[in-house]
């Protein structure tokens, strides 16, 4: 197929191939959906009446260590884009390098932070050199998939919401030129919220807007900034994300449809963020820090039209009804719903303590002063990105242990392996019991997720980021163990001697059991009654955190990650284990808050 003219924004309406075109888009992130389900989710997007797929590209997954690139299996971006083309969907690619996305450090790799002078999202030479190297690999893969070369990519985004950051007036020009010099020839665009539009533009690039409610004349402001240009809501927020310890956010389906209906009636193009949110598996969730630090949960359900596990919702059906009226032909039939399975409860009959597991970690590192995660000499000197770091030192007295706010983000504190309390942003001092003898002080520090949006992005080194004191004296001579719970660590853990649960565990501890699956594996949700906080790993796949504070009370376990027969379940528990894990057909949330309960304004 020979394509002619690509997506153009030369009048108040888009054209594609020289004919009028309206973008009806939906965001689905390939990295948040098991590859086995990519086709299912994209078919459901198409059956809803949408014509365009949008996706971010997470730099920190594609280059997890400096100079080490991953673009295969779950991260096969080219296969994802080609699949969209096979299903007659267009693609808007959002390669970043910063993506926000409620994703750790907004998608930027943590090894950038090894440079003590690093200035993220600027033309600082250390950052631009890293971006150039990454783009050399990324853009070479996606450039052949552009519209003019026979592919489905009709537009490419220049960075993401830079108007809300705006640290460097030359930065967006650098990113634009980095894309164009590597062969990106399709329409370029930026996106910003209402407040960021004035600072988020760059010459020759179409500006678009992100919003949820039609308020403050946002769309009209965009129209005034760009007379005689088409209007695109690049992110229509049809839901919202959740943080640990706060209610689950929902957005009223009828209010969503009312906004979309008005946008469409005024000829505005739309992209639903998210159409299907999926899951931030493992340790990839981000965090907010606008007034205080709040880590996000693993579920990225987002109250989207397609649920976390790909189920249809009332939003989906209402949206499909709305979009059906814009089509010249019948919409495709709805793909079948994925069946769920409530498996029998699993008793985790073996355990091994964290302290015994240390022999499976990389060689410990010793230093007079504590070293933050990113600067540890591990992972081929790219540092530690995620998980936990254990800091140990010798103490000779008791008294006031003060973190000086240097714990990022949460530390379990032990004296001779006995838990004495937690240090975090709110609790910065503990009393260490007095003793005359030499003892080992341990701090198991967890990276709960790097901030993904806002000015705090520049201060996201994790672990211990400075001195901690005992009776006002800085502690010295630390031994540090990197515990990122990577697959290699979990594999080594298997060879150790596990104890039966008849023996009381020494916490924190790993617990192990077997889930028996008969026949074809199906999706399910894990629930952990009686457990307090930790991580769940099934067949080597890190599903994410469990934490009794909610709102996420279940973890999504995709059927393709199970097999017929025995499936290994490992739970890392920090505080207290329950007697078993159980399964549910549907996710369980705690208290719910509705983000739509505010007055609406008209568009124009």
């Amino acid at each position: 197929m020979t394509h002619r003219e690509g997506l153009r924004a030369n009048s108040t309406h888009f054209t594609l191939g020289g004919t009028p075109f309206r973008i009806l888009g939906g965001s689905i992130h390939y990295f948040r959906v098991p590859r086995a389900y990519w086709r299912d989710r994209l078919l459901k997007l198409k059956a809803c009446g949408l014509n365009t797929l949008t996706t971010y590209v997470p730099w920190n997954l594609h280059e997890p260590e400096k100079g080490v690139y991953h673009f295969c299996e779950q991260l096969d971006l080219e296969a994802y884009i080609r699949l969209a083309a096979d299903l007659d969907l267009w693609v808007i690619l959002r390669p970043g390098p910063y993506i926000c996305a409620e994703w750790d450090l907004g998608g930027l790799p943590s090894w950038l932070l090894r440079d003590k002078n690093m200035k993220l999202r600027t033309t600082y030479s250390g950052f631009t050199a890293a971006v150039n190297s990454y783009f050399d690999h990324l853009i070479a893969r996606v450039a052949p998939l552009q519209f003019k070369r026979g592919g489905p990519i009709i537009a490419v985004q220049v960075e993401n919401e830079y108007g809300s950051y705006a640290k460097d007036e030359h930065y967006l020009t650098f990113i634009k030129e980095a894309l164009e010099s590597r062969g990106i020839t399709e329409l370029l665009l930026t996106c910003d919220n209402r407040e960021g539009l004035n600072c988020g533009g760059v010459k020759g690039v179409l500006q678009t807007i992100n919003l949820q409610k039609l308020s403050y004349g946002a769309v009209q402001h965009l129209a005034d900034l760009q007379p005689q240009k088409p209007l695109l809501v690049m992110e229509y927020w049809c839901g919202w994300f959740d943080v640990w310890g706060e209610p689950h956010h929902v957005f009223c389906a009828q209010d969503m449809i009312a906004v979309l209906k008005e946008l469409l009636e005024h000829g505005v193009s739309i992209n639903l963020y998210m159409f299907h949110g999926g899951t931030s598996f493992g340790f990839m969730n981000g965090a907010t820090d606008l007034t205080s630090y709040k880590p996000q949960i693993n579920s990225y359900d987002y109250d989207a039209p397609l649920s976390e596990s790909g189920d249809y919702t009332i939003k989906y059906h209402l949206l499909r009804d709305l979009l059906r009226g814009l089509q010249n032909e019948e919409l495709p039939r709805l793909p079948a719903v994925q069946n769920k399975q409530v498996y029998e409860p699993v008793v985790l009959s073996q355990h091994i303590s964290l302290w015994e597991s240390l022999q499976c970690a990389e060689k410990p590192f010793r230093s007079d002063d504590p070293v933050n995660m990113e600067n540890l000499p591990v992972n081929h000197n790219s540092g530690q990105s995620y998980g936990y770091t254990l800091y140990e030192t010798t103490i000779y007295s008791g008294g006031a242990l003060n973190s000086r706010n240097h714990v990022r983000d949460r530390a379990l504190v032990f004296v001779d392996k006995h838990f004495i309390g937690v240090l975090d942003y709110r609790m910065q001092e503990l009393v260490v019991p007095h003793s005359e003898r030499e003892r080992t002080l341990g701090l198991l520090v967890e990276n709960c997720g790097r901030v993904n949006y806002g000015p705090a992005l520049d201060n996201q080194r994790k672990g211990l980021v400075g001195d901690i004191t005992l009776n006002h004296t800085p502690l010295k001579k630390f031994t540090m163990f990197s515990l990122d719970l990577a697959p290699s660590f979990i594999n080594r853990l298997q060879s150790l001697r596990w104890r039966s649960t008849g023996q009381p565990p020494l916490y924190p501890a790993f617990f192990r059991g077997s889930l028996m699956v008969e026949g074809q594996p199906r999706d399910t949700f894990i629930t952990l009654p009686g457990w307090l906080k930790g991580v769940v790993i099934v067949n080597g796949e890190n599903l994410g955190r469990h934490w009794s504070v909610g709102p996420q009370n279940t973890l999504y376990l995709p059927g393709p990650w199970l097999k017929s027969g025995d499936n290994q379940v490992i739970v890392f528990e920090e505080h207290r284990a329950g007697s078993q894990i159980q399964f549910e057909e549907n996710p369980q949330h705690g208290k719910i808050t509705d983000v739509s309960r505010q007055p609406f304004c008209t568009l124009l």
Side-chain angles (χ1 to χ4, degrees):
M1 180 178 180
T2 302
H3 288 297
R4 303 179 303 280
E5 188 179 86
L7 188 68
R8 289 289 179 266
N10 297 330
S11 70
T12 55
H13 293 84
F14 289 107
T15 60
L16 182 64
T19 61
F21 180 74
R22 190 201 311 241
I23 296 168
L24 300 173
S27 292
I28 304 177
H29 300 152
Y30 60 100
F31 48 94
R32 281 183 159 126
V33 179
R35 181 168 179 168
Y37 283 154
W38 284 356
R39 176 176 289 271
D40 172 78
R41 306 307 194 250
L42 297 195
L43 283 170
K44 288 171 177 172
L45 181 144
K46 186 174 177 65
C48 196
L50 299 174
N51 59 25
T52 302
L53 167 70
T54 68
T55 185
Y56 283 131
V57 181
W59 182 5
N60 54 8
L61 290 188
H62 288 292
E63 193 181 0
E65 298 176 7
K66 187 175 182 179
V68 176
Y69 298 94
H70 292 172
F71 284 96
C72 59
E73 298 173 345
Q74 182 66 45
L75 296 175
D76 193 339
L77 174 60
E78 294 158 276
Y80 189 63
I81 295 170
R82 289 194 182 99
L83 174 60
D86 290 344
L87 301 179
D88 293 324
L89 291 167
W90 302 115
V91 173
I92 296 177
L93 193 67
R94 310 174 77 187
Y98 162 85
I99 63 174
C100 185
E102 287 69 61
W103 196 253
D104 187 271
L105 202 59
L108 301 175
S110 66
W111 49 260
L112 291 168
L113 302 176
R114 291 174 67 83
D115 178 351
K116 69 180 187 302
N117 299 313
M118 178 55 64
K119 296 178 178 61
L120 301 173
R121 303 178 74 192
T122 71
T123 52
Y124 169 67
S125 60
F127 187 72
T128 57
V131 170
N132 280 324
S133 177
Y134 169 55
F135 272 13
D136 284 344
H137 288 80
L138 171 64
I139 305 305
R141 294 174 179 274
V142 299
L145 299 171
Q146 295 178 95
F147 181 93
K148 294 169 196 165
R149 297 170 68 173
I153 297 175
I154 58 173
V156 176
Q157 185 171 295
V158 178
E159 234 261 357
N160 190 66
E161 292 187 321
Y162 197 69
S164 299
Y165 196 72
K167 291 286 183 74
D168 186 330
E169 62 181 335
H170 304 294
Y171 176 66
L172 287 181
T173 300
F174 159 70
I175 297 297
K176 174 178 182 268
E177 292 174 352
L179 294 168
E180 291 177 332
S181 66
R182 290 167 174 82
I184 295 299
T185 59
E186 302 300 335
L187 181 73
L188 295 178
L189 51 85
T190 58
C191 75
D192 284 285
N193 60 26
R194 167 68 171 81
E195 293 73 23
L197 282 172
N198 291 338
C199 301
V202 59
K203 186 177 180 181
V205 175
L206 182 73
Q207 287 190 270
T208 71
I209 193 167
N210 301 339
L211 56 81
Q212 184 169 72
K213 303 177 179 70
L214 298 178
S215 53
Y216 310 112
V219 177
Q220 185 60 53
H221 180 61
L222 176 62
D224 292 342
L225 277 176
Q226 297 184 132
Q228 298 303 304
K229 292 290 185 183
L231 297 171
L232 168 60
V233 177
M234 185 61 204
E235 292 185 12
Y236 176 71
W237 301 319
C238 53
W240 204 244
F241 60 87
D242 295 335
V243 298
W244 286 111
E246 294 189 4
H248 171 54
H249 292 83
V250 298
F251 181 52
C252 174
Q254 286 74 20
D255 287 347
M256 179 193 90
I257 293 300
V259 175
L260 291 173
K261 187 171 186 290
E262 187 163 356
L263 289 169
L264 293 170
E265 285 175 349
H266 284 85
V268 179
S269 285
I270 59 168
N271 175 63
L272 279 83
Y273 189 98
M274 296 291 298
F275 177 77
H276 168 55
T279 311
S280 303
F281 291 109
F283 296 124
M284 300 313 301
N285 63 280
T288 63
D289 192 355
L290 299 175
T291 54
S292 60
Y293 174 85
K294 298 176 182 179
Q296 292 145 5
I297 66 172
N298 288 95
S299 171
Y300 202 58
D301 178 87
Y302 210 84
D303 195 32
L306 273 187
S307 75
E308 179 179 13
S309 56
D311 289 339
Y312 302 113
T313 68
I314 183 65
K315 283 184 177 176
Y316 183 97
H317 295 297
L318 291 174
L319 177 63
R320 189 170 190 257
D321 289 343
L322 176 64
L323 297 178
R324 183 184 281 116
L326 301 177
Q327 312 296 322
N328 296 323
E329 53 191 41
E330 280 293 308
L331 294 180
R333 293 178 59 183
L334 292 181
V337 174
Q338 299 288 338
N339 291 323
K340 307 291 193 307
Q341 179 72 48
V342 179
Y343 297 104
E344 290 296 314
V346 172
V347 176
L348 303 182
S349 56
Q350 296 178 306
H351 65 80
I352 192 167
S353 78
L354 171 79
W355 317 103
E356 294 170 293
S357 78
L358 295 179
Q359 58 191 292
C360 298
E362 289 196 40
K363 184 180 177 182
F365 176 62
R366 292 174 174 82
S367 169
D368 258 7
D369 298 309
V371 176
N372 61 286
M373 282 187 178
E374 295 80 4
N375 285 98
L376 289 173
V378 296
N379 298 317
H380 307 102
N381 282 320
S382 286
Q384 181 180 347
S385 295
Y386 314 108
Y388 302 78
T389 303
L390 177 64
Y391 295 81
E392 290 189 333
T393 187
T394 302
I395 58 174
Y396 302 93
S397 66
L401 180 70
N402 194 298
S403 71
R404 302 179 65 185
N405 199 26
H406 287 153
V407 168
R408 302 286 187 277
D409 298 295
R410 185 174 186 269
L412 308 183
V413 183
F414 303 88
V415 174
D416 285 345
K417 302 178 184 178
H418 294 290
F419 176 68
I420 64 167
V422 173
L423 292 173
D424 56 18
Y425 295 97
R426 290 173 295 180
M427 178 64 69
Q428 296 184 26
E429 187 166 291
L430 286 176
V431 175
V432 176
H434 282 281
S435 174
E436 298 296 322
R437 61 184 181 83
E438 174 183 303
R439 293 173 297 169
T440 299
L441 177 74
L443 292 95
L444 182 66
V445 185
E446 178 188 9
N447 165 13
C448 294
R450 294 184 183 84
V451 166
N452 55 270
Y453 179 83
L457 192 77
D458 293 319
N459 185 27
Q460 291 306 303
R461 292 169 180 87
K462 297 298 184 179
L464 291 183
V465 298
D467 288 331
I468 59 171
T469 62
L470 183 60
N471 298 325
H472 308 291
T473 301
L475 292 169
K476 297 289 183 180
K477 295 185 178 179
F478 283 88
T479 300
M480 289 154 277
F481 297 84
S482 172
L483 296 161
D484 54 10
L485 307 194
S488 56
F489 171 84
I490 298 299
N491 287 338
R492 289 192 293 271
L493 203 60
Q494 310 294 350
S495 63
L496 299 185
R497 182 173 172 270
W498 292 61
R499 306 173 192 276
S500 74
T501 47
Q503 303 168 276
L506 180 61
Y507 291 99
F510 296 88
F511 294 79
R512 185 169 70 177
S514 180
L515 165 62
M516 173 59 70
V517 173
E518 296 180 2
Q520 181 70 27
R522 293 177 177 174
D523 288 1
T524 193
F525 287 87
I526 292 177
T527 181
L528 297 101
W531 303 71
L532 288 189
K533 186 178 184 299
V535 179
V536 179
I537 298 168
V538 178
N539 291 338
E541 298 281 1
N542 186 337
L543 303 186
R545 293 178 176 86
H546 69 90
W547 197 355
S548 58
V549 298
Q552 180 172 357
N553 296 322
T554 48
L555 283 166
Y556 174 49
L557 172 52
W561 290 0
L562 294 170
K563 60 187 178 182
S564 295
D566 283 333
N567 295 265
Q568 185 185 78
V569 180
I570 291 178
V571 177
F572 175 63
E573 173 56 48
E574 298 176 17
H575 298 287
R576 186 188 73 205
S579 59
Q580 59 186 17
I581 66 168
Q582 298 175 2
F583 301 90
E584 303 277 353
E585 186 174 352
N586 297 300
Q588 303 296 326
H589 301 287
K591 185 178 178 183
I592 288 176
T593 184
D594 190 332
V595 297
S596 65
R597 298 296 97 197
Q598 293 181 13
F600 278 77
C601 304
T602 56
L603 179 61
L604 297 170

